[in-house]
Amino acid sequence: MIDAGERTAMEGTVRGAIVDALSTRGERADVDAVLQKLGWLEMLHDGPDDAIGIVFGALGATNATATALDDVLASALGREPRADLAVVLPPFGVWGAPGRLQGSDLHAIGLATARAAHARELLVVCTTASEAWAIVVPSAVAEVRRVNGVDPDGGLHAIRVQRSAEGATRLDPVAWSSAVALGRRAIAHQIEGACRAMLELARAYALEREQFGRPIARFQAVRHRLAETLVAVEALEATLTAAREVPGPETAALAKAVAGRTSRTVSRHAQQVLAGIGFTTEHRFHRFLKRTMALEGLFGSTDEIVLDVGRQLLATRQVPTLIDL
Amino acid sequence: VIDLADYRAELHAWLDANHEALAPLHSPPGTLDDHVAQMQRVKSILFDAGWMQRGWPERVGGRGGPPMLRTELGAALAARELVDPGLFSLIEVLAPTLIDFAPPELAAEVVPRLLSGAELWCQGFSEPDSGSDLASLRCRAVPEGGDARTASRWVVNGQKVWTSLAQFSDRCVLLTRTGPADSRHRGITAFFVDMDTPGITVVPLEMLNGRLEFAEVFFDDVVVPADRMLGELNGGWAVAMSILPYERSSCFWQRIAYLYRQLQRLVEVAPNDDRAAEVVGDAYVQLHALRARSRATQHRLAETGTIGVETSIDKVLVATAEQTLYDAVRRLLPGTIETDEGAAAATWRSEYLFSRAATIYGGTAEVQRNIIARRLLQLGGDE
C-alpha cells in the first residue's frame, strides 16, 4: 500500500490528465485512453486498493465517463482485464449476480458500462445458493441498449441475455461477493469525488453571490448547510479509508451505504445554496447531481444495503465493530 | 514498540479473567453514587495490576508507552460496561493538564492519585453567563497584596456551573479571570484548587434523568497558593484549549465503544422484522462512519502529535450518532422508555434522556458548525 503523500500526488496526476482531456476534447474525450496511458491496468494489477481510490475519485471529481469498472470487476472475477470484455452489472438498486441458469439456459438482466456498446464479449456471472458460474458470451447475442434516464452521459447500458449456458465455468462462490465489494468501493470513491466537487461549487458560489449587500456565505443558514455537507463528505472519506485498510465485504458495503447517503445530503444542500443557477443546465452542478443519482443504484442502493445490514444484525443478534485502532 | 493488537488481546484476556472482581456491585441502572464508587474501585484494581499506568509518562508515575494504550483501556471498560465512559474519560481532560502545565513535583504527586482512584477531580470552566462563549468568563482571581509577580496567594470569587462530579471531587482545574473584565481569552489564568478549601460551596444540579452529575460551584474568598497556578499568568486559554486533542480522540473512542455496546443491547431485544432492520441498520451505518472517522483522527494524532479544529467534524458525528442510536431504542421498544418499570427500562430511560445533551456539551452542534464554516470551509466571518 502506498502512503498518503504518494496517493495525493497520484490523484493529482490522474485528475489533471482527465481535466486536460476534457478541456481539449469536451465530452467526446476518450477518458479510457487517458487512463490506459497513465498505466491504469498496471496500477490495478499492482494494488487494486490504491488504484480504485485514485482513479474513481478522479472520475467522480471531473464527472468523466470511463469504463474502468469493467477492469476492476473482470480482475476481481479472475479474468485478465481487456478492452473488449464488458462485465454485466446487477440491475439498478441491487447486487445479486445478474445471471441465472434455468436448465441448460442462461438468463441475464442487468446493466453495463459504455464498454458494452463496442466490446466483443460480455462476462455474465450466475449464482445459486451455494454455487457460482461465469459465462463469456459474444455481445452480438445480447440485447444491449443505451440507458438514457437521468444521466444520459454516464454511459450506462441495459443488458438482456437469453441463450444456452454452454461454456459456463465454475467460480469460487465468494468471487461474486469479492467483486461486489470492490465494485462498491470503486463507486463509493466516484461518489465521493462528485460530492467534493458539488461542495466546492456551492462553497465558491456562496462566497461570490451577494444578496442584501453581502455574500450569502455570511448567513448562518447557508454556512450550516455547507458545514453539514463537509461533515458528510469527511465521514464518507473515513469509511473509504477504513474499507481500504480493513478490506472485506462488510466495510465495502458500509462505505457504499455511506456514499449513497452522503450524495443525497450533499446534493440537497449544494443545490439549495446554488438556488436558481443550480437549477439550470448553464451551471455544472446538475451533471454531478444526475451522475450520483445513477451511481447510487450500482451494487445496491443505500436503502437496500442498510436494510440488509440491519437484517444481519437482527439475525445474528451481534454488532461487529469491524475496525480497531 | 508495542503492538496495539497484542496489547488489546492481553488486556481483554486479563479483563475476562478478572471479571468477577471488576463487575459492578450495584444492580442497574444504579445511582450516580454507585457509578462513582464503581469507577474508583475499578481504577484501584487496575492501578494495582499496572493497567492504569500504561500510556502515561513515567515522571507522573506512569509506565510509558503511547497514549493509545489508555484509549484501548477506556474503550474496553466502556464496552464491558464496567465504568461509565462519561465519568471515566474525564481523566483524559484532567491529567494531561497537570502533566503539561503544573510544576513537575505537583504533577508527580497528584496524577497517580487520580489514576489510582484515590482522588476525583473536576473541571471548573463554564459559568452561568459563559457557556458557548467561554472566553467571557468572570470568576475572578486577584493576587493577595495586589502584585501578581510577588503574591504567594490568590483569592478567588465567583461561580461555576455544569461542573461534573464537583460534589465528589478533591480538586478542581479552575479557569479564572485575572485580566481586565473585557480581556477575554488574553486575561484568563488556570489554577489547581483543593475542593476542601474554605469558601467553596457545591450545589448539585439535578439533570433531566434524575442524576446529580453536574453542580454549581460557588467561590467566596477562596485562597489558592500561587504555586497552584497551571501554566502562565493570563495563559489559561492555552490550558483550556490543550484539552481538545484528548477530548476529541481518546474520550470519543471510549464513547464510541460504549455506543456499540448499547446498539448490541438493542439488537438483542429488538423485534426481528424489516422495520427494525431499517432502524438498527441506519444507526449502525452512522456508528461505523463515526468510528472510521475517529480511528483516522487518532492515527493522525499518533503520527503528527496534534489534531485541531477539524475534530469539530468528529464532534458533530458523535453527537448525531448517539442521538440516532437512542432514537432507535425509543422507536423499536415502544413504552420501554416512556412507561415501563424494571432495571432495563430505567437504564434505557436514563440513557435516552442523557443523550439529548450530546448536541450541547463540549461545544454545541451550532458552535461546531460555525467552526467548520469559518475554519475548515474558509467562508470568512459571519458578521
Side-chain angles (χ1 to χ4, degrees), chain B residues 22-230:
Chain B
L22 295 163
L25 302 173
H26 62 266
S27 46
T31 63
L32 181 62
D33 289 53
D34 291 333
H35 282 274
V36 169
Q38 164 67 8
M39 175 174 74
Q40 296 300 75
R41 199 174 64 81
V42 167
K43 277 158 70 174
S44 156
I45 296 171
L46 293 168
F47 192 85
D48 289 343
W51 291 106
M52 280 304 292
Q53 297 91 322
R54 302 295 295 269
W56 294 102
E58 287 164 18
R59 65 185 175 85
V60 293
R63 293 174 60 195
M68 268 194 203
L69 303 185
R70 296 155 21 193
T71 308
E72 289 286 0
L73 175 62
L77 299 176
R80 290 161 179 262
E81 297 186 283
L82 294 174
V83 294
D84 178 321
L87 306 184
F88 184 81
S89 66
L90 286 173
I91 296 171
E92 289 291 332
V93 296
L94 289 162
T97 305
L98 270 285
I99 293 167
D100 294 341
F101 295 98
E105 53 288 2
L106 176 63
E109 180 199 334
V110 297
V111 170
R113 300 184 60 77
L114 179 68
L115 298 180
S116 69
E119 289 189 3
L120 259 187
W121 304 351
C122 59
Q123 201 177 56
F125 283 18
S126 298
E127 297 181 8
D129 291 324
S130 302
S132 293
D133 183 14
L134 183 64
S136 70
L137 64 86
R138 292 189 303 194
C139 179
R140 177 158 281 285
V142 296
E144 218 175 44
D147 188 344
R149 287 164 304 177
T150 57
S152 63
R153 311 199 304 173
W154 289 70
V155 181
V156 177
N157 279 286
Q159 183 191 347
K160 294 290 169 179
V161 73
W162 316 128
T163 309
S164 295
L165 304 186
Q167 71 273 37
F168 300 93
S169 288
D170 304 280
R171 329 258 193 175
C172 179
V173 172
L174 182 69
L175 294 183
T176 62
R177 172 70 52 204
T178 44
D182 62 352
S183 57
R184 294 191 57 81
H185 57 275
R186 294 178 308 279
I188 293 170
T189 302
F191 289 95
F192 189 59
V193 179
D194 292 344
M195 288 295 284
D196 60 1
T197 314
I200 298 179
T201 309
V202 176
V203 181
L205 285 166
E206 184 174 332
M207 301 195 297
L208 76 176
N209 65 354
R211 277 170 65 159
L212 299 166
E213 191 171 309
F214 301 127
E216 296 176 288
V217 184
F218 298 89
F219 296 84
D220 187 11
D221 287 334
V222 173
V223 174
V224 182
D227 61 8
R228 289 299 191 84
M229 189 182 288
L230 300 174

Side-chain angles (χ1 to χ4, degrees), chain A residues 199 203 207 214 217-218 220 223-224 226-228 230-231 234-235 238-239 242 245-246 251 254 257-258 261 306-307 309-311 313-315 317-325, chain B residues 4 8 72 253 260 264 267 270-274 276-278 281-282 284-286 288-289 291-293 295 299 313 317 366 369-370 372-374 376-383:
Chain A
L199 170 56
R203 179 188 166 274
L207 286 166
R214 52 191 159 159
R218 295 265 189 95
Q220 200 172 46
R223 298 163 78 83
H224 283 196
L226 294 175
E228 203 58 45
L230 183 65
V231 169
E234 293 291 345
T239 58
E245 293 179 357
V246 188
T251 51
L254 291 169
V258 173
R261 175 174 304 189
V306 169
L307 179 62
V309 164
R311 281 175 178 157
L313 295 175
L314 292 172
R317 304 285 183 192
Q318 284 297 323
V319 179
T321 47
L322 298 180
I323 53 172
D324 279 310
L325 285 181
Chain B
L4 214 53
R8 193 158 47 232
E72 289 286 0
W253 192 256
Y260 270 82
Q264 173 68 40
V267 304
N272 190 356
D273 60 32
D274 279 354
E278 280 179 15
D282 177 47
Y284 184 61
V285 167
Q286 287 195 38
H288 176 75
R291 189 174 174 91
R293 170 71 183 184
R295 176 177 179 269
H299 287 175
I313 287 170
L317 290 172
E366 288 69 31
R369 284 164 177 81
N370 288 347
I372 292 166
R374 185 194 287 259
L376 301 179
L377 287 168
Q378 270 130 28
L379 292 178
D382 54 3
E383 291 80 33

Side-chain angles (χ1 to χ4, degrees), chain A residues 100-108 122 124 135-142 160-168:
Chain A
R100 62 197 158 86
L101 297 175
Q102 279 183 340
S104 59
D105 283 347
L106 160 69
H107 296 264
L122 302 175
V124 183
I135 307 176
V136 174
V137 300
S139 31
V141 306
R160 190 181 283 269
V161 182
Q162 188 157 0
R163 60 160 258 152
S164 127
E166 201 181 334

Side-chain angles (χ1 to χ4, degrees), chain A residues 21 26 33 44 46 56 67 88 153-154 158 222 230 242 246 307:
Chain A
L44 180 64
D46 293 346
F56 284 84
T67 68
V88 179
D153 301 330
V222 171
L230 183 65
V246 188
L307 179 62

Side-chain angles (χ1 to χ4, degrees), chain A residues 2 13 18 30 91 107 135 137 146 155 164 171 188 193 200 209 232 277 321:
Chain A
I2 60 177
T13 305
I18 294 174
D30 185 347
H107 296 264
I135 307 176
V137 300
R146 188 187 161 97
S164 127
L171 265 183
E200 187 44 39
R209 168 74 172 170
I277 194 69
T321 47

Side-chain angles (χ1 to χ4, degrees), chain A residues 196-219 222-223 225-226 266-280 282-286, chain B residues 377-380:
Chain A
R196 286 211 185 268
M198 286 190 274
L199 170 56
E200 187 44 39
L201 290 173
R203 179 188 166 274
Y205 183 74
L207 286 166
E208 162 204 305
R209 168 74 172 170
E210 294 196 1
Q211 286 289 275
F212 303 101
R214 52 191 159 159
I216 60 169
R218 295 265 189 95
F219 294 100
V222 171
R223 298 163 78 83
R225 276 187 185 274
L226 294 175
V266 171
S267 58
R268 186 174 71 247
H269 291 319
Q271 180 138 46
Q272 188 66 18
V273 170
L274 287 162
I277 194 69
F279 199 68
T280 70
E282 281 175 37
H283 194 281
R284 295 171 66 220
F285 169 78
H286 76 105
Chain B
L377 287 168
Q378 270 130 28
L379 292 178

Side-chain angles (χ1 to χ4, degrees), chain A residues 6 26 29 40 44 62 72 82 88 119-120 139 172 185 270 279 299 315:
Chain A
E6 291 173 282
W40 150 246
L44 180 64
T62 54
V72 171
R82 51 187 162 87
V88 179
R120 201 165 47 83
S139 31
D172 181 338
R185 284 168 52 198
F279 199 68
F299 302 109

